[in-house]
Amino acid sequence: MPSHQNAAIITSQTIHALGMTLLQAGKADEAAFQFRKALSLAPGFTDAYLCLGHCLHLAGRFDEALEVYDRALRIAPDSAPVWNNRGNALLELCRYNDAAESYSRTLELAPGFHDARVALGTCYQALGQFAKAQAACEAVLRVEPNHAEAHWNRALLLLLHGDYHEGWREYEWRWLKRNFTSPLRDFAQPRWQGEPIGGKTLLIHAEQGFGDTLQFCRYVPLVAALGARVVFECHPPLAPLMNMAGVRAVPMGEPLPPFDLHVPLLSLPMLFGTRVETIPAEVPYLTPPAARLPFWRGLVPNEGRLKVGLCWAGKSYPDPGRSCPPELLAPLAAVEPISWYSLQFGREGALPLPMADPTGHVGDFGDTAALITQLDLVITVDTAVAHLAGALGKPAWVMLPHAPDWRWMTGREDSPWYPSLRLFRQARPGSWREAVQRVAHALESRARSARLAPAG
């Protein structure tokens, strides 16, 4: 090898080492610059491609990461780590079939790459191939019984299919899962394990997102009924709704009062031994603050038409497939007569239908609840709006992706968690157009019934 090439390789390795130091310090953009420099000196440096792709992945630039991995594979076509990382980028892009192919190739090259097999199971789950997803989890757990990500995926599959007995137990593995949505809380006080608690003060702390808290706060008064003094720590925007008897709501970030024991909110179904047939599903279990109602009654007048709220998109994480492209909602506009109200928060661009947009007056979920109570019907994708409508006992139609979140189960149009909800599922992955059309037909029937109903 010529001396100048040898020097370039040595220099690129030094630059790569600097990039690794920056990456470990959380400076991904600066690290990416160094990895690019290393590759300019040594275009065949596979590790630099891997690290550059990882930096781009951390920045959410998944298309660019995919290009980097494809370049790496032209140099090292049998690199299992590159195939795996390529699968990770494709998974983020919701290209589930392509991601599954990358993970399968990873496992051909490295059968013991358990994370790749778990990720392959995630692809199968997103594609609605639940038996294959379950088999992938089980295969990993046979070899590595403490693999937290495999347990987590298995929990979601068990809960999806209504196996709550085992599913809630598996769900406890969430605290060992890498990059779990909520941090594990560390208190000096012990965790409540379901023992008698009369006369003691229990801190119940919310976790994960708004929808999780809205769904599972129904358990908080059940704990109070056991004789405990309950402190419920929850997201600040939800605190005005948590006006439950025997419960003191404390917004996250505010000082906590003294307490004897604590428990994460989503561990309560396990502690109460919840099965599908024993879900505490009496609604409403939340009510809007009474002082907010006069304002919202004035903002949503009764004009003799159906008043329908619409929400078509949620946050991209954890599941971008839950959102419906707004241009596909056009069939709803053909249904008359409807007074439409937007329930879409953080919206950019034009509204997809002629509708009023009262969201600028919403300060927290207390306002959203007061708004929803003025409506006749809510139509939404799988967002916190669906859970709030269900908790309020408001009729709501929820449009779901083909492979839904575990809480909606499979093969049913109702929800055992929310008696007032009706589910409209995609017939196949990505088929929002067909799902919206079914909603439009149902809405036409609902509007026709309202027109024929006697006045007064």
Side-chain angles (χ1 to χ4, degrees):
M1 178 182 297
S3 60
H4 68 278
Q5 290 183 357
N6 188 51
I9 292 172
I10 293 172
T11 302
S12 68
Q13 291 173 341
T14 302
I15 294 171
H16 180 270
L18 174 59
M20 289 298 297
T21 300
L22 291 166
L23 182 58
Q24 291 164 3
K27 300 178 180 180
D29 288 342
E30 297 176 41
F33 178 76
Q34 300 300 327
F35 295 134
R36 290 186 192 278
K37 282 177 59 179
L39 286 168
S40 69
L41 294 169
F45 196 170
T46 305
D47 285 350
Y49 282 113
L50 272 170
C51 294
L52 175 58
H54 180 62
C55 290
L56 294 168
H57 190 111
L58 291 175
R61 296 158 63 181
F62 306 118
D63 281 313
E64 294 177 57
L66 182 60
E67 291 177 6
V68 169
Y69 295 134
D70 284 340
R71 282 159 49 199
L73 288 173
R74 287 195 287 272
I75 297 165
D78 293 331
S79 171
V82 175
W83 280 105
N84 179 74
N85 285 18
R86 182 178 186 272
N88 293 342
L90 289 163
L91 187 58
E92 294 288 352
L93 292 167
C94 300
R95 291 171 54 181
Y96 301 117
N97 279 309
D98 292 337
E101 290 179 6
S102 276
Y103 291 129
S104 295
R105 179 59 178 148
T106 304
L107 292 165
E108 289 174 6
L109 296 164
F113 204 146
H114 299 314
D115 284 356
R117 196 173 302 281
V118 171
L120 177 60
T122 300
C123 294
Y124 289 145
Q125 189 166 346
L127 292 167
Q129 300 175 22
F130 303 124
K132 286 186 175 181
Q134 181 97 16
C137 295
E138 303 290 356
V140 171
L141 292 172
R142 281 195 296 271
V143 180
E144 191 173 336
N146 293 322
H147 197 290
E149 281 69 27
H151 279 289
W152 168 253
N153 278 16
R154 182 172 184 265
L156 300 183
L157 288 161
L158 291 168
L159 294 170
L160 178 71
H161 290 97
D163 185 352
Y164 285 1
H165 175 71
E166 183 67 17
W168 296 128
R169 298 179 188 278
E170 285 286 85
Y171 200 73
E172 290 300 301
W173 280 89
R174 65 193 184 278
W175 304 116
L176 297 177
K177 180 182 180 292
R178 291 189 296 272
N179 302 316
F180 183 60
T181 308
S182 297
L184 178 63
R185 304 294 293 278
D186 185 18
F187 296 106
Q189 296 89 333
R191 178 169 161 172
W192 183 49
Q193 303 291 346
E195 68 273 16
I197 199 176
K200 295 184 178 180
T201 300
L202 175 69
L203 169 66
I204 302 174
H205 39 95
E207 54 176 286
Q208 303 181 59
F210 295 138
D212 299 282
T213 299
L214 289 166
Q215 180 177 1
F216 292 98
C217 68
R218 70 184 74 206
Y219 285 90
V220 175
L222 300 184
V223 177
L226 298 177
R229 295 182 295 272
V230 175
V231 177
F232 183 37
E233 184 192 45
C234 63
H235 313 73
L238 292 175
L241 273 179
M242 302 301 157
N243 50 358
M244 296 174 280
V247 177
R248 176 181 174 182
V250 177
M252 292 175 178
E254 293 191 6
L256 292 169
F259 58 93
D260 302 304
L261 301 129
H262 76 96
V263 67
L265 177 63
L266 270 71
S267 292
L268 293 177
M270 179 188 71
L271 294 176
F272 277 91
T274 300
R275 305 291 184 268
V276 172
E277 60 274 11
T278 64
I279 291 171
E282 292 184 14
V283 295
Y285 57 83
L286 292 178
T287 56
R292 313 268 185 107
L293 293 173
F295 171 81
W296 289 100
R297 289 194 188 104
L299 203 64
V300 185
N302 190 348
E303 301 173 322
R305 296 186 291 181
L306 276 179
K307 296 174 289 185
V308 182
L310 181 63
C311 178
W312 57 91
K315 293 181 179 179
S316 61
Y317 181 85
D319 187 356
R322 297 181 189 180
S323 296
C324 177
E327 63 271 16
L328 299 184
L329 297 170
L332 301 181
V335 182
E336 294 284 352
I338 303 288
S339 292
W340 290 100
Y341 292 87
S342 175
L343 296 174
Q344 187 62 55
F345 299 92
R347 174 185 53 83
E348 296 181 2
L351 292 164
L353 302 176
M355 65 174 67
D357 186 359
T359 57
H361 299 283
V362 172
D364 54 37
F365 276 87
D367 287 320
T368 308
L371 167 58
I372 286 175
T373 57
Q374 310 311 309
L375 304 174
D376 298 306
L377 174 68
V378 169
I379 298 175
T380 180
V381 292
D382 180 8
T383 69
V385 168
H387 295 283
L388 179 56
L392 295 168
K394 176 62 62 175
W397 297 351
V398 185
M399 298 186 293
L400 297 174
H402 179 68
D405 188 58
W406 66 265
R407 68 203 74 216
W408 304 116
M409 307 180 70
T410 61
R412 56 191 300 166
E413 295 183 354
D414 67 328
S415 167
W417 292 94
Y418 300 113
S420 65
L421 265 55
R422 179 178 175 185
L423 309 181
F424 291 79
R425 301 174 183 272
Q426 289 181 351
R428 57 190 179 281
S431 60
W432 282 120
R433 193 181 305 276
E434 183 270 340
V436 171
Q437 194 63 57
R438 283 189 285 117
V439 171
H441 287 321
L443 187 60
E444 176 60 46
S445 297
R446 177 74 180 265
R448 187 183 307 113
S449 297
R451 290 194 296 268
L452 296 175

